[in-house]
Each structure stands twice: as structure tokens, then as C-alpha cells.
Amino acid sequence: MNKIPFRTFLKNQIEKRLPIFIDGGMGTMIQKPGLTYKIPEDLNFYKSQAIKDIHKRYFLAGANVATVNSFGANPLRLEEASHSAEEYIAKAIEVAKEAALEAEKEGGKGPFYVAWDSGQIGKLLEPMGTLTFDQAYESYKSAAMAAEKAGADLAIIETMSDLYEVKAAILAIKENTDLPVLTSMTFQPNLRTLTGADVLTCVTYLEALRPDIIGFNCGGSLEEDAKLAKDFLSYAHLPVSIEPNAGLPTVVNGKDVYLVEPEEFALAQLENYKNGCLVLGGCCGTTPDHISAMVKKVLELKPEEKNLEMEKVRSGFANKTYLCSYNKCQEAGGSFGPLIIGERINPTGKKKFKEALLKGDIQYIVSQAESQIGQGAHVLDVNVGLPGIDEGEMMVVAVKAIQEAFNVPLQLDSSEAEVLEKTLRYYNGKALVNSTNGKAEVMEAVLPLLKKYGGCLVALCIDEDGIAPTAQGRVAVAKKIIKRAGEYGIPVRDIFIDTLTLTVSSEQKTALETVKAIRMLKDEYGEQGLQFVLGVSNISFGLPRRDIINSRFFAMALYAGLDACIINPLLEPMMETYRAYR
């Protein structure tokens, strides 16, 4: 087969706003002729011709991508099987590649690609289950490496209900292969995943990890799928894949029957294409007839018939900033208003907290989280830097403990890149990362972590020349950071600039420069979604009546355009200022 790499094909189709077609249901097609099996992947060996014919029919129906018969072939899932997961995967890819060659000879249009296909491991990850993140990672790693070795063109991780497992899979694929990645979630009738994530949370979480395509498959009725599709297409910056079932199954004569006919399915997918979806396929109940009808409808569409209203909706979300945990998404700035980042999980100036860290008293950390959330914190800063402890290990333990108890997003706060990397790897969501600055050495240590793991970046306006005394000087440093972050693919909307709060006891004039710098940068980058954050209480160190100084400075910064504030939400004057501003 002479074809361009899948990533190049995807890029070309995106630029031309042209569709990519994925095949339909494999299980549906296996069940139709009554093929018997212990596990479906066995058919790759003893009924390989039947599986090849299914793939070929889909290719001839117009599919560009075949999802191979390897959905359950995961090392942790196959404990009592006649072959290893790696053997099942290699054989599945071999059969599909043969089908592509035959379809090409029979006049199929192509280009044809073969996708290693994997579903869930089948065991919940901690803390909901007993499977560790590292165990999940290793299982996907073995499978992905086998798929690449066998000649897969891309990886499809589909029918996923736990974003943490998806993270393990994406990292395993990207760190050990060069396979493009399509990740596809599945949703319950309440339009949330099994672990409680809605579409916005899924998009926020997945895009931070930078797969090539995101989307959903399987699920419920076409009406439910239409709602999910509009949400995905509203929020996503990456290409979206939509692979619905042929409706919900109905039991007829003791068998599950899918009642949505090819024409109805095709019309539903045509609407998704009009709304901006470029990657279209089918899941349970769909057949080559469904795919053929979909391909025909989509390719007949004229450019002027696309839904321009959805373009307007999409543009409204293009530069919004979001953080998330495993099932809660938090907007920053914008219509939501300023984020409150609780500052109490930090040993600086806190004797009890230092003692708790030295004793390994994690419950104390959890109690600090609880009190701040109760008083209105939207995000919690987590800093455990203290001599005498393993900061990296303690950060992971603290973050896991907090995430087990609460679902608010976290700010991971450390001056050590090694600590940030270790914590980012195990953080279940899209975190705020505190911090980098304008020093070349620091940027080169931290920015690659954001590129790999995703997140929103706190960037301090300080560089090799120190802290500029003027707003103009700090703006220059901010611009340098924004430019360098862009070279790592970090969008402006994921950057929180800290124009630096210096104590007025020694730097009386710089308080106003801090506020002025926010206004200047807001004027230039505000439409691109640039965010601003300050550690507000720094303004009053060493002074009496700190509450007065803090709250007044806080008000000034808010009206200048502050989007997030690191404060103690248990202090009423600060919360009064916040509420008055709102």
C-alpha cells in the first residue's frame, strides 16, 4: 500500500476541512454469521478469513481506518487465553493489513489505515479500585509496542470511562512508540462517564495530554449522542471523533437487536459533520451498510451547507481557560470571575504544618484542604517543600490523599522541576503548575513538562536581571515567557502571569507597578485568554494590620484584571473583598 503517514493524512484533511471515516462495529459483524469463540480475538487465528472479510467490507464501504480485532487484548485483561496479548495484537494487525491490500486491488478508494484498537483493562484504578497507575501504564506499554512492531498506523483507545486510565494509556503510547493516538470516551445516560466526568472535563483533561484526536463512541440513543457531539464540538481544539451505536439495543427473540437503520444513522452523522466533526465512524450495531450510507451522505454535502452557527459557538470557547480534576472542571477568569486558590497547604511560616510534614501526618493536610474548600476555595495550592523530607515523594502522597477526598483542581507548587514532573505524572486532571520564570534555565526545565503532561502555567516576571522595578520591565519578561512557551505548544490561554507582589514595607512604589503591569498585558493579550495570578498576602509582610493592606491591594488588582488569587479563604476581609467585587 502506497500511502502517506496517518498524521500527514489527518493534517491534510483538517486543513481542507474534509472527513476521515472509521469503520463500524466488529462485534456486530462477528455475531451476524454466528461465529463462536471463547474470546473474540481467537477468531484472528482460527477464523482469520472471516475477520479479513469484515475489514474488507468496511474498506469497500468507504472507511479509511480499520479498527482491528484487538479490543480486549490487553496483558492485564488476558490471564487465561490461548495466546498472549502481544500475539493477538500482531495477528489482528496482520489480518487487517491483508484486507486493506485486497480492498485496494478491488477498487477501494482509500487511503486505508490499520488501527490497533484497545478498550479498558477491566479493572478500576486507585483510589476507586486496586489497580495502580504504573500497572496500567505497563500493560498499555506492552500492547502499544507490539502494535507498532506489527505495523499499526495509529492507536485507538476507545470506550473509556476513567480519564486516569486514559492518561496511563496515552503516556504509554507516546513515551514508547510514534503511533498517532485517538482517545474515545463513553458516557452514561446522564452524559457523564462512569467516574463522573462531563464532556467539558473530558475535553480539558484529554487535550492537556495532546493525543491527535479526541471524541466518544458507543453510548446510548442518537438523541443523547447529538447532545454529546455538540458539547465536544463546542469545547474541543483538537479534531473530534464521533462513533455512535446504531441506537440502543432492543431484545428480540432473546437477542440484542439494533433498530437504527443505515439511513437514519447516516443523517445523524451528517449533522455532526455539518457541525464540524471530521472523524466519523460507528460502534455497536453498525455495519458496512451504515458506514456506506454515512460516507455517501457526508461526501455529497456542499461547503455552504455546513453549520456556521457552530463556528460561532466554538469561537466563544476558543480562548477560555480551564483546570480540572478527574471529574470536575473549573473555568478561570472570564465570565466565572477570579479563582480563589487556597494557600494554606504550604509550610512557609506555619509551625503546625511543618510538624505535620515531618511526622508524615497526611490527615492534617487533608483537613487543611477541607477547611479551605468549605470557605470557598476553587483550587488548592499544594506545597510541601521542607528540609528533612523527600519532597517529591511527599507531593505525590499529598496530592493522592487530597484527590481521594475532594475533587477540586490543584495547583502543584514547587521550585524543583523533578518534583513537578513526578507529581504531574500522577496527578489525575489538568493542574495549575507553579511555577516558571523568565530565566532560560528555569524555562528549559519546566516548559517541557507542560508540553508532555499538560496543565496551566504560573509564570513569574523575573529573569536573570532580577525583578524589574517598573511595569514595563515586567511586561517585557512576561512577553519573553509567553513567546518561549508558545514554542513548546503551550497556548496563551494556559498561562497565568504573576506580575509579582513585593512587600510595601520596603518597596512602596512597586505595588502600583504590579497592578499597572496587569493592565498593560491585559490590553495586549486579553483576547487570547492570558490569565493573571498574584500571591496577594506578600504585599504586607512585616506590617501591622495586614488584613487592611491585603484586602485593599486585592481590590486594586481585581479591578486591574486579576483572574486568580492565592489567598487564605479563611480570612474574612479577603472574602468580603472578593464577594464585593463579584
Side-chain angles (χ1 to χ4, degrees), residues 405-417:
F406 309 104
N407 67 349
V408 298
L410 302 181
Q411 173 172 271
L412 309 179
D413 186 355
S414 176
S415 59
E416 301 297 327

Side-chain angles (χ1 to χ4, degrees), residues 175-196:
E175 290 179 354
N176 299 284
T177 78
D178 194 39
L179 293 173
V181 185
L182 185 161
T183 58
S184 186
M185 305 301 295
T186 191
F187 293 82
Q188 301 181 103
N190 63 358
L191 306 187
R192 288 181 177 270
T193 66
L194 181 65
T195 53

Side-chain angles (χ1 to χ4, degrees), residues 26-36 43 50 54 57:
M26 173 58 74
T28 305
M29 297 301 293
I30 288 173
Q31 290 164 11
K32 276 184 178 295
L35 295 172
T36 58
L43 297 174
I54 292 170
R57 286 184 61 190

